[in-house]
Amino acid sequence: MLKITAARVIVTCPGRNFVTLKIETSDGVHGIGDATLNGRELSVVSYLEDHVCPLLIGRDAHRIEDIWQFLYKGAYWRRGPVTMSAIAAVDTALWDIKAKVAGLPLYQLLGGASRSGVMVYGHANGADIEETVAEAVRYKDMGYKAIRLQTGVPGLSSTYGVSKDKLFYEPADAALPTENVWSTSRYLPTVPRLFEAARKVLGDDIHLLHDSHHRLTPIEAARLGKDLEPYRPFWLEDVTPAENQASFRHIRNHTTTPLAVGEVFNTVWDCKQLIEEQLIDYIRTTIVHGGGISHVRRIAHLAELNNVRTGFHGATDLSPVCMGAALHFDLWAPNFGIQEYMRHTPETDAVFPHAYTFASGDLHPGETPGHGVDIDEALAAKYPYRPAQLPVNRLEDGTLFNW
Ligand code: CS2
Ligand code: MG
């Protein structure tokens, strides 16, 4: 038996807040898991410290599934982003420990490598189409095989995905939500023009993606999907809020543009209908918000049965610990599609030393036993928590809308 002797939550803010769970065992082996939930970090800290960590002490660290079931069913109040992020952190840390004890990189425990590397996409963004396309050329020159395009919208002072800093993007920009203004009618004609310009400059031999960030109705999404078909997007992401999974039927009936959704989901129940009816092409729910490796593996298996591939969320507000674990999963998953890769800042990378590396448009998790990511606690302590929340969106008439 490998007894859990300590379970501690580490909050650090090297430019943005991260929440990390560290589990230590009687053999001196430790594992870590990401528990970061952008804008609600302290809720997960409390869920872990007050309701989970005390339950872990003395348990056998090898019994990952039993502990997962205990935390999921034992909570009574199942599901939700806070609960599932907390469970994810425990699950990820325990898989890290098991792989370290086995002396194997985590992907070997999942079933070994299914590919040589993990294709990633970077984020080209700009105030206008010209600047966005120039950024995309820069990403292509860096070796990316896939690039997400997000541009400013004429007449809107701000929009999702366009940042001052071109390599790093952090939307949680104030202690209280800043208010953005949105106009779908200004947005809808802009994206096809962006893709037309991008294809002219970049050619056909590169994957181009776009994120509508929950802001369209199903029929508006269908419109955009049709308008983009001549430019063959790799995917159109989060075209409409997906609480009503059936609404994706309207989009599916009108366009062949591939659809990706799921970064805000936290269990298989959020996407079961979308997957079983093949209403989407990529599922984005990743390790930190989807209950960890043990539960996201269930989602990936259901997706595989229904021609849906993985396309994990990988924004800067998911820590390098999530990225490391996700890359081992990506290397193994038979129905892997693509991995989002918003680079972390050097300060963040210093707090979270990691084995994963970027080359020729792919990331590779490395061969270090475990998931290959650790936390420098002394350095982490130098960056205290800083209140930050995500923005909200209003329409031009003041209606509260989706951010
Ligand atoms: C975005 C994210 O990466 C993406 O696809 O949707 O930037 C998202 O806005 C943030 O992760 C929210 O914290
Ligand atoms: Mg997104």
Side-chain angles (χ1 to χ4, degrees):
M1 174 179 178
L2 184 60
K3 189 175 279 193
I4 294 173
T5 55
R8 292 183 292 111
V9 180
I10 301 159
V11 182
T12 184
C13 187
R16 67 140 290 110
N17 296 308
F18 294 108
V19 180
T20 306
L21 174 70
K22 183 168 186 174
I23 294 180
E24 293 165 315
T25 65
S26 50
D27 284 12
V29 177
H30 75 270
I32 64 173
D34 186 13
T36 307
L37 184 63
N38 201 358
R40 296 293 180 272
E41 291 87 356
L42 297 187
S43 302
V44 186
V45 171
S46 166
Y47 195 100
L48 283 167
E49 287 184 340
D50 298 329
H51 307 297
V52 171
C53 293
L55 302 175
L56 298 176
I57 308 307
R59 288 185 186 275
D60 181 354
H62 278 308
R63 297 186 67 187
I64 299 176
E65 191 61 52
D66 181 66
I67 290 173
W68 195 96
Q69 297 295 334
F70 185 95
L71 295 178
Y72 181 78
K73 295 173 178 162
Y76 187 73
W77 313 104
R78 299 180 184 189
R79 303 166 66 187
V82 173
T83 298
M84 298 315 291
S85 297
I87 293 176
V90 175
D91 187 80
T92 305
L94 295 178
W95 275 105
D96 189 23
I97 290 166
K98 190 179 277 292
K100 283 176 177 175
V101 168
L104 291 170
L106 177 54
Y107 73 84
Q108 295 290 16
L109 261 64
L110 298 174
S114 302
R115 55 196 57 78
S116 55
V118 174
M119 181 172 75
V120 296
Y121 70 89
H123 284 215
N125 71 78
D128 56 29
I129 289 174
E130 189 183 355
E131 184 181 316
T132 306
V133 173
E135 272 296 295
V137 170
R138 205 162 69 86
Y139 271 85
K140 185 176 182 182
D141 293 347
M142 284 192 270
Y144 283 82
K145 299 177 234 176
I147 302 168
R148 189 185 83 167
L149 304 173
Q150 304 291 141
T151 186
V153 175
L156 291 183
S157 58
S158 68
T159 188
Y160 166 71
V162 179
S163 62
K164 295 172 287 301
D165 189 322
K166 292 305 162 206
L167 210 51
F168 315 107
Y169 176 62
E170 176 46 66
D173 54 6
L176 294 175
T178 50
E179 299 218 346
N180 294 173
V181 176
W182 176 255
S183 160
T184 298
S185 59
R186 296 177 192 275
Y187 165 79
L188 274 182
T190 305
V191 183
R193 290 191 199 114
L194 168 64
F195 271 71
E196 182 185 23
R199 279 291 179 217
K200 268 202 189 96
V201 172
L202 298 163
D204 293 332
D205 189 24
I206 190 156
H207 299 301
L208 299 178
L209 303 84
H210 181 69
D211 188 348
S212 296
H213 220 264
H214 321 282
R215 299 184 183 186
L216 304 177
T217 62
I219 208 65
E220 290 167 344
R223 165 85 276 158
L224 182 57
K226 281 170 70 79
D227 288 350
L228 290 178
E229 282 174 11
Y231 313 111
R232 290 173 309 293
F234 183 87
W235 82 31
L236 195 46
E237 174 187 339
D238 277 338
V239 282
T240 195
E243 289 98 322
N244 179 350
Q245 297 181 48
S247 63
F248 274 68
R249 291 175 186 148
H250 303 300
I251 309 166
R252 219 38 168 187
N253 290 337
H254 289 281
T255 180
T256 58
T257 291
L259 301 174
V261 75
E263 68 182 51
V264 298
F265 297 169
N266 51 79
T267 70
V268 67
W269 305 105
D270 293 325
C271 52
K272 183 172 179 291
Q273 183 178 4
L274 288 168
I275 291 172
E276 288 180 336
E277 289 190 27
Q278 302 187 34
L279 299 176
I280 58 172
D281 302 280
Y282 297 91
I283 182 67
R284 286 180 48 69
T285 313
T286 191
I287 309 294
V288 61
H289 300 134
I293 287 162
S294 300
H295 190 67
V296 170
R297 195 167 51 168
R298 292 186 172 90
I299 295 174
H301 285 320
L302 178 66
E304 186 193 4
L305 299 178
N306 292 284
N307 298 308
V308 176
R309 286 175 279 178
T310 64
F312 282 167
H313 187 199
T316 45
D317 47 281
L318 287 59
S319 92
V321 181
C322 178
M323 180 55 79
L327 289 170
H328 283 272
F329 194 105
D330 292 334
L331 200 68
W332 155 76
N335 55 327
F336 166 74
I338 197 167
Q339 169 68 52
E340 179 176 4
Y341 179 41
M342 269 195 202
R343 290 173 186 257
H344 289 105
T345 63
E347 292 84 7
T348 296
D349 285 341
V351 172
F352 295 98
H354 51 268
Y356 58 83
T357 52
F358 176 83
S360 311
D362 289 352
L363 277 174
H364 193 284
E367 299 300 327
T368 306
H371 57 45
V373 188
D374 210 339
I375 184 167
D376 179 331
E377 291 197 57
L379 195 52
K382 292 188 175 147
Y383 301 103
Y385 169 79
R386 192 176 63 207
Q389 293 200 46
L390 288 166
V392 297
N393 240 344
R394 288 187 184 273
L395 300 179
E396 290 170 302
D397 69 0
T399 306
L400 202 285
F401 196 62
N402 308 313
W403 176 74

